[in-house]
Every structure is written in C-alpha cells, then in structure tokens.
Amino acid sequence: IKNMDLLAGVVVFFFQAEDGIRDAQESRGLGDVYKRQHDGFEENEAGYFVAVDDKYADQQKVFEEVGVEILDNAWKGYHCCLFAYGQTGAGKSYSMVGYGTNKGIVPISCQEIFTRIGNNKNENKSYEVMFSMLEIYNEKVQDLLIPTSKRPQGGLKIREHKTCGVFVEGLSKHPVESYIAIEQLMDEGNTNRTIGSTQMNASSSRAHTCLLYTSDAADDLLCVDLGGRRIIKKK
C-alpha cells in the first residue's frame, strides 16, 4: 500500500445455516451444488437465480451493495481491497466470482471498468488495464497464470518498496482490453487453484486467492477470496 491515508477496504463475512451443510459425497457437480444452495431463489430462462423476496440478495444486488462502493473508491484514487471470509461452503467464491450466468462481484466489476473506460469522451486520454491472479497456499505465494512446471519451487517473494509499498516480486501482469480477456485469464487461473474435498464442500478452495487489477484510470483494486474455515465449534 503506497499511502495508508488512501486505503479503502471491506471485509464481507459469510455464514451458512447448519441445515445447509451437506456431505461432499452427496455432491454430483458444481452446477448441482449451486442449485441446491438457492432455496430462496427462482431460476429464470437464462439460468440466473432471482431472489424470491427482500430477505435474499442475488448477485447483482450483492454487487450494488458492496462492489459499486469499492469500485467507486478505486476510481477516486483509493487503494481498495475486498475480503471474503467465512466457513467453507458458505458462498465466498460464488459471491466473489460466481458461476455461469450468475456472475459475482469480480466479473461484474471487470465489466463496469471497461464500461466506464468506454464512456470516456476525452480523445487525449487513454487507459491501460493489467490483470494478475495469485494464491497463497501453505504459506507460499504462487502465480496462477503461470504453468505449474515454470513456477519457482519456493513460491514468489513478498517485498516492500519505499515508494511503491508492498508487492509480490515476479508476479506476472497481463494487459487486457476487454472483459472477455479477463474472463479467459480468470478461467485459466481458476483451473490452477488448489482445491480439496471436505465434508462440507466437494470443491473447496484450500488456498487464499487474490485478483489484482491495475489501471491508470483507477488505483489498485484487490479482491481476496480467503480459503474456507472447516472447524466449527458448537456452543
């Protein structure tokens, strides 16, 4: 972080009702899992889950309540970070990334970034957007956009610069010109994530995943999907 005075961040906590926990052996695939977790929603013809009443929030509502403010602050020059924290299977990755037509905060934000750039009327102003994706697993930082065979064995190093602040040395930055380009990179990174089956989630991420957007139109926007907690103590 270059300037702590220009820091804006939100931590979103996710909770899962006890009756929503299912054994991983029951799971038949991601699509099936997501449909079972949408008891308070109705699926439209496009496959999008719409909330049945105000007690529930669909993906667009979550973005409007959380994502818009973060993106607006980044556009104003603040360093922004959004954390998703909670129990495994509670919906962190779903709300951050989404599934199918039910896009989460990250892809919707990507679309909004390029929409705002497209609305620029100043011919003398140009924009460049860079995308990076990494995970932290077993205290090692790995670049998810680099093939496993080409990654350093000990992971990437976290450094601190007097002017630039904290950064990951050697993290690849990919220039993107559209949301489709980001989506392709996200798909590539997601296939390289470390996952493992648990009794609560058949495809639980066992690592912390970070997506970083760097743009000269806005300041750094960091989205963090923390690995789920598996130990739940009953009172």
Side-chain angles (χ1 to χ4, degrees):
I1 298 173
K2 305 172 187 176
N3 188 342
M4 290 298 293
D5 294 332
L6 295 178
L7 173 63
V10 173
V11 179
V12 182
F13 293 89
F14 290 80
F15 302 94
Q16 181 174 18
E18 186 174 336
D19 60 2
I21 300 174
R22 305 176 186 270
D23 192 282
Q25 294 179 352
E26 298 179 13
S27 302
R28 298 188 295 275
L30 280 176
D32 181 64
V33 172
Y34 287 136
K35 288 180 181 179
R36 290 189 315 201
Q37 292 178 347
H38 281 83
D39 294 338
F41 297 80
E42 294 180 350
E43 185 177 6
N44 63 21
E45 295 180 355
Y48 183 80
F49 290 101
V50 182
V52 297
D53 55 46
D54 294 339
K55 185 171 66 174
Y56 301 94
D58 58 23
Q59 295 288 65
Q60 184 62 36
K61 179 68 173 179
V62 172
F63 172 73
E64 292 171 356
E65 294 292 332
V66 180
V68 170
E69 183 177 1
I70 288 290
L71 188 57
D72 286 344
N73 285 331
W75 219 258
K76 294 175 183 178
Y78 290 88
H79 310 291
C80 295
C81 182
L82 177 64
F83 277 90
Y85 175 85
Q87 175 186 331
T88 184
K92 298 182 301 301
S93 297
Y94 178 75
S95 294
M96 291 290 278
V97 179
Y99 176 78
T101 57
N102 297 275
K103 292 179 171 57
I105 293 175
V106 171
I108 296 177
S109 296
C110 294
Q111 290 176 314
E112 179 64 18
I113 288 173
F114 288 105
T115 297
R116 295 187 182 190
I117 291 176
N119 292 333
N120 172 49
K121 304 301 182 181
N122 189 343
E123 297 181 355
N124 297 321
K125 182 180 291 185
S126 60
Y127 299 97
E128 182 179 33
V129 180
M130 310 289 286
F131 179 82
S132 301
M133 188 171 181
L134 63 86
E135 75 171 11
I136 304 173
Y137 180 65
N138 284 343
E139 300 184 0
K140 293 182 180 179
V141 179
Q142 300 289 359
D143 191 330
L144 290 176
L145 300 179
I146 297 296
T148 305
S149 60
K150 296 183 179 180
R151 297 177 187 173
Q153 187 173 5
L156 302 177
K157 302 298 182 182
I158 299 177
R159 307 292 189 188
E160 184 173 5
H161 190 275
K162 291 182 179 180
T163 304
C164 300
V166 178
F167 68 98
V168 178
E169 185 178 35
L171 180 65
S172 63
K173 294 184 178 182
H174 301 259
V176 288
E177 297 182 351
S178 66
Y179 164 70
I180 295 177
I182 291 182
E183 189 174 39
Q184 292 173 344
L185 289 172
M186 284 178 57
D187 289 342
E188 178 183 343
N190 283 327
T191 60
N192 294 328
R193 294 180 67 180
T194 302
I195 62 173
S197 176
T198 71
Q199 289 186 339
M200 295 181 183
N201 188 357
S203 57
S204 175
S205 173
R206 300 272 42 90
H208 307 310
T209 307
C210 306
L211 300 98
L212 175 64
Y213 308 89
T214 303
S215 170
D216 51 8
D219 220 308
D220 292 350
L221 175 60
L222 177 64
C223 296
V224 182
D225 179 12
L226 295 177
R229 289 178 56 86
R230 289 175 289 173
I231 301 176
I232 303 297
K233 295 182 179 180
K234 293 185 178 180
K235 297 182 178 179

